[in-house]
PDB file of all heavy atoms in Angstrom:
ATOM      1  N   THR A  64      -2.170  14.334 -10.526  1.00 75.00           N
ATOM      2  CA  THR A  64      -1.994  13.201  -9.604  1.00 75.00           C
ATOM      3  C   THR A  64      -0.838  12.309 -10.062  1.00 75.00           C
ATOM      4  O   THR A  64      -0.152  11.704  -9.233  1.00 75.00           O
ATOM      5  CB  THR A  64      -3.285  12.373  -9.501  1.00 75.00           C
ATOM      6  OG1 THR A  64      -3.542  11.726 -10.755  1.00 75.00           O
ATOM      7  CG2 THR A  64      -4.466  13.260  -9.132  1.00 75.00           C
ATOM      8  N   ASP A  65      -0.641  12.203 -11.384  1.00 79.00           N
ATOM      9  CA  ASP A  65       0.510  11.451 -11.887  1.00 79.00           C
ATOM     10  C   ASP A  65       1.808  12.092 -11.408  1.00 79.00           C
ATOM     11  O   ASP A  65       2.725  11.416 -10.937  1.00 79.00           O
ATOM     12  CB  ASP A  65       0.517  11.408 -13.420  1.00 79.00           C
ATOM     13  CG  ASP A  65      -0.686  10.674 -13.985  1.00 79.00           C
ATOM     14  OD1 ASP A  65      -1.319   9.915 -13.232  1.00 79.00           O
ATOM     15  OD2 ASP A  65      -0.996  10.871 -15.164  1.00 79.00           O
ATOM     16  N   ALA A  66       1.890  13.432 -11.555  1.00 85.00           N
ATOM     17  CA  ALA A  66       3.082  14.149 -11.122  1.00 85.00           C
ATOM     18  C   ALA A  66       3.287  13.981  -9.620  1.00 85.00           C
ATOM     19  O   ALA A  66       4.412  13.773  -9.144  1.00 85.00           O
ATOM     20  CB  ALA A  66       2.969  15.628 -11.484  1.00 85.00           C
ATOM     21  N   ALA A  67       2.187  14.048  -8.866  1.00 80.00           N
ATOM     22  CA  ALA A  67       2.287  13.895  -7.408  1.00 80.00           C
ATOM     23  C   ALA A  67       2.796  12.508  -7.034  1.00 80.00           C
ATOM     24  O   ALA A  67       3.591  12.356  -6.097  1.00 80.00           O
ATOM     25  CB  ALA A  67       0.931  14.151  -6.764  1.00 80.00           C
ATOM     26  N   SER A  68       2.345  11.483  -7.770  1.00 76.00           N
ATOM     27  CA  SER A  68       2.797  10.123  -7.453  1.00 76.00           C
ATOM     28  C   SER A  68       4.284   9.958  -7.729  1.00 76.00           C
ATOM     29  O   SER A  68       4.988   9.252  -6.999  1.00 76.00           O
ATOM     30  CB  SER A  68       1.984   9.099  -8.247  1.00 76.00           C
ATOM     31  OG  SER A  68       2.265   9.185  -9.634  1.00 76.00           O
ATOM     32  N   ILE A  69       4.798  10.627  -8.785  1.00 82.00           N
ATOM     33  CA  ILE A  69       6.227  10.541  -9.080  1.00 82.00           C
ATOM     34  C   ILE A  69       7.035  11.308  -8.030  1.00 82.00           C
ATOM     35  O   ILE A  69       8.068  10.841  -7.557  1.00 82.00           O
ATOM     36  CB  ILE A  69       6.518  11.076 -10.495  1.00 82.00           C
ATOM     37  CG1 ILE A  69       5.834  10.196 -11.544  1.00 82.00           C
ATOM     38  CG2 ILE A  69       8.020  11.107 -10.753  1.00 82.00           C
ATOM     39  CD1 ILE A  69       5.976  10.719 -12.957  1.00 82.00           C
ATOM     40  N   VAL A  70       6.538  12.507  -7.670  1.00 84.00           N
ATOM     41  CA  VAL A  70       7.212  13.268  -6.607  1.00 84.00           C
ATOM     42  C   VAL A  70       7.240  12.454  -5.319  1.00 84.00           C
ATOM     43  O   VAL A  70       8.250  12.409  -4.606  1.00 84.00           O
ATOM     44  CB  VAL A  70       6.500  14.618  -6.384  1.00 84.00           C
ATOM     45  CG1 VAL A  70       7.030  15.305  -5.126  1.00 84.00           C
ATOM     46  CG2 VAL A  70       6.686  15.527  -7.591  1.00 84.00           C
ATOM     47  N   LEU A  71       6.129  11.785  -5.032  1.00 76.00           N
ATOM     48  CA  LEU A  71       6.042  10.946  -3.845  1.00 76.00           C
ATOM     49  C   LEU A  71       7.102   9.856  -3.866  1.00 76.00           C
ATOM     50  O   LEU A  71       7.770   9.590  -2.860  1.00 76.00           O
ATOM     51  CB  LEU A  71       4.651  10.320  -3.767  1.00 76.00           C
ATOM     52  CG  LEU A  71       4.361   9.416  -2.574  1.00 76.00           C
ATOM     53  CD1 LEU A  71       4.441  10.189  -1.276  1.00 76.00           C
ATOM     54  CD2 LEU A  71       2.979   8.797  -2.721  1.00 76.00           C
ATOM     55  N   ALA A  72       7.279   9.223  -5.022  1.00 75.00           N
ATOM     56  CA  ALA A  72       8.296   8.177  -5.130  1.00 75.00           C
ATOM     57  C   ALA A  72       9.698   8.742  -4.912  1.00 75.00           C
ATOM     58  O   ALA A  72      10.522   8.142  -4.221  1.00 75.00           O
ATOM     59  CB  ALA A  72       8.201   7.507  -6.499  1.00 75.00           C
ATOM     60  N   LEU A  73       9.972   9.916  -5.489  1.00 82.00           N
ATOM     61  CA  LEU A  73      11.291  10.538  -5.329  1.00 82.00           C
ATOM     62  C   LEU A  73      11.547  10.920  -3.877  1.00 82.00           C
ATOM     63  O   LEU A  73      12.636  10.688  -3.338  1.00 82.00           O
ATOM     64  CB  LEU A  73      11.398  11.767  -6.235  1.00 82.00           C
ATOM     65  CG  LEU A  73      11.480  11.489  -7.742  1.00 82.00           C
ATOM     66  CD1 LEU A  73      11.275  12.771  -8.536  1.00 82.00           C
ATOM     67  CD2 LEU A  73      12.821  10.852  -8.094  1.00 82.00           C
ATOM     68  N   VAL A  74      10.540  11.517  -3.236  1.00 80.00           N
ATOM     69  CA  VAL A  74      10.691  11.914  -1.834  1.00 80.00           C
ATOM     70  C   VAL A  74      10.874  10.683  -0.946  1.00 80.00           C
ATOM     71  O   VAL A  74      11.711  10.667  -0.033  1.00 80.00           O
ATOM     72  CB  VAL A  74       9.474  12.733  -1.374  1.00 80.00           C
ATOM     73  CG1 VAL A  74       9.505  12.965   0.131  1.00 80.00           C
ATOM     74  CG2 VAL A  74       9.437  14.071  -2.100  1.00 80.00           C
ATOM     75  N   ALA A  75      10.093   9.635  -1.231  1.00 72.00           N
ATOM     76  CA  ALA A  75      10.188   8.415  -0.427  1.00 72.00           C
ATOM     77  C   ALA A  75      11.569   7.788  -0.529  1.00 72.00           C
ATOM     78  O   ALA A  75      12.087   7.237   0.445  1.00 72.00           O
ATOM     79  CB  ALA A  75       9.118   7.418  -0.863  1.00 72.00           C
ATOM     80  N   MET A  76      12.177   7.864  -1.704  1.00 72.00           N
ATOM     81  CA  MET A  76      13.542   7.352  -1.852  1.00 72.00           C
ATOM     82  C   MET A  76      14.510   8.112  -0.949  1.00 72.00           C
ATOM     83  O   MET A  76      15.390   7.524  -0.321  1.00 72.00           O
ATOM     84  CB  MET A  76      13.991   7.473  -3.307  1.00 72.00           C
ATOM     85  CG  MET A  76      13.292   6.531  -4.258  1.00 72.00           C
ATOM     86  SD  MET A  76      13.813   6.847  -5.962  1.00 72.00           S
ATOM     87  CE  MET A  76      12.562   5.907  -6.837  1.00 72.00           C
ATOM     88  N   ARG A  77      14.338   9.426  -0.903  1.00 77.00           N
ATOM     89  CA  ARG A  77      15.202  10.236  -0.045  1.00 77.00           C
ATOM     90  C   ARG A  77      14.980   9.891   1.420  1.00 77.00           C
ATOM     91  O   ARG A  77      15.937   9.729   2.197  1.00 77.00           O
ATOM     92  CB  ARG A  77      14.913  11.721  -0.273  1.00 77.00           C
ATOM     93  CG  ARG A  77      15.242  12.219  -1.672  1.00 77.00           C
ATOM     94  CD  ARG A  77      16.732  12.288  -1.905  1.00 77.00           C
ATOM     95  NE  ARG A  77      17.046  12.880  -3.204  1.00 77.00           N
ATOM     96  CZ  ARG A  77      18.273  12.959  -3.695  1.00 77.00           C
ATOM     97  NH1 ARG A  77      19.294  12.489  -3.008  1.00 77.00           N
ATOM     98  NH2 ARG A  77      18.482  13.512  -4.886  1.00 77.00           N
ATOM     99  N   LEU A  78      13.709   9.796   1.805  1.00 76.00           N
ATOM    100  CA  LEU A  78      13.403   9.507   3.210  1.00 76.00           C
ATOM    101  C   LEU A  78      13.856   8.111   3.612  1.00 76.00           C
ATOM    102  O   LEU A  78      14.305   7.887   4.741  1.00 76.00           O
ATOM    103  CB  LEU A  78      11.899   9.663   3.453  1.00 76.00           C
ATOM    104  CG  LEU A  78      11.334  11.076   3.310  1.00 76.00           C
ATOM    105  CD1 LEU A  78       9.834  11.074   3.561  1.00 76.00           C
ATOM    106  CD2 LEU A  78      12.031  12.037   4.261  1.00 76.00           C
ATOM    107  N   ALA A  79      13.729   7.161   2.680  1.00 67.00           N
ATOM    108  CA  ALA A  79      14.119   5.786   2.989  1.00 67.00           C
ATOM    109  C   ALA A  79      15.608   5.671   3.263  1.00 67.00           C
ATOM    110  O   ALA A  79      16.058   4.773   3.970  1.00 67.00           O
ATOM    111  CB  ALA A  79      13.730   4.864   1.841  1.00 67.00           C
ATOM    112  N   ALA A  80      16.399   6.590   2.690  1.00 68.00           N
ATOM    113  CA  ALA A  80      17.849   6.545   2.890  1.00 68.00           C
ATOM    114  C   ALA A  80      18.267   7.128   4.239  1.00 68.00           C
ATOM    115  O   ALA A  80      19.400   6.942   4.669  1.00 68.00           O
ATOM    116  CB  ALA A  80      18.547   7.311   1.769  1.00 68.00           C
TER     117      ALA A  80
END
Side-chain angles (χ1 to χ4, degrees):
T64 67
D65 297 341
S68 68
I69 296 175
V70 170
L71 181 63
L73 290 168
V74 171
M76 290 176 193
R77 296 289 185 186
L78 294 179

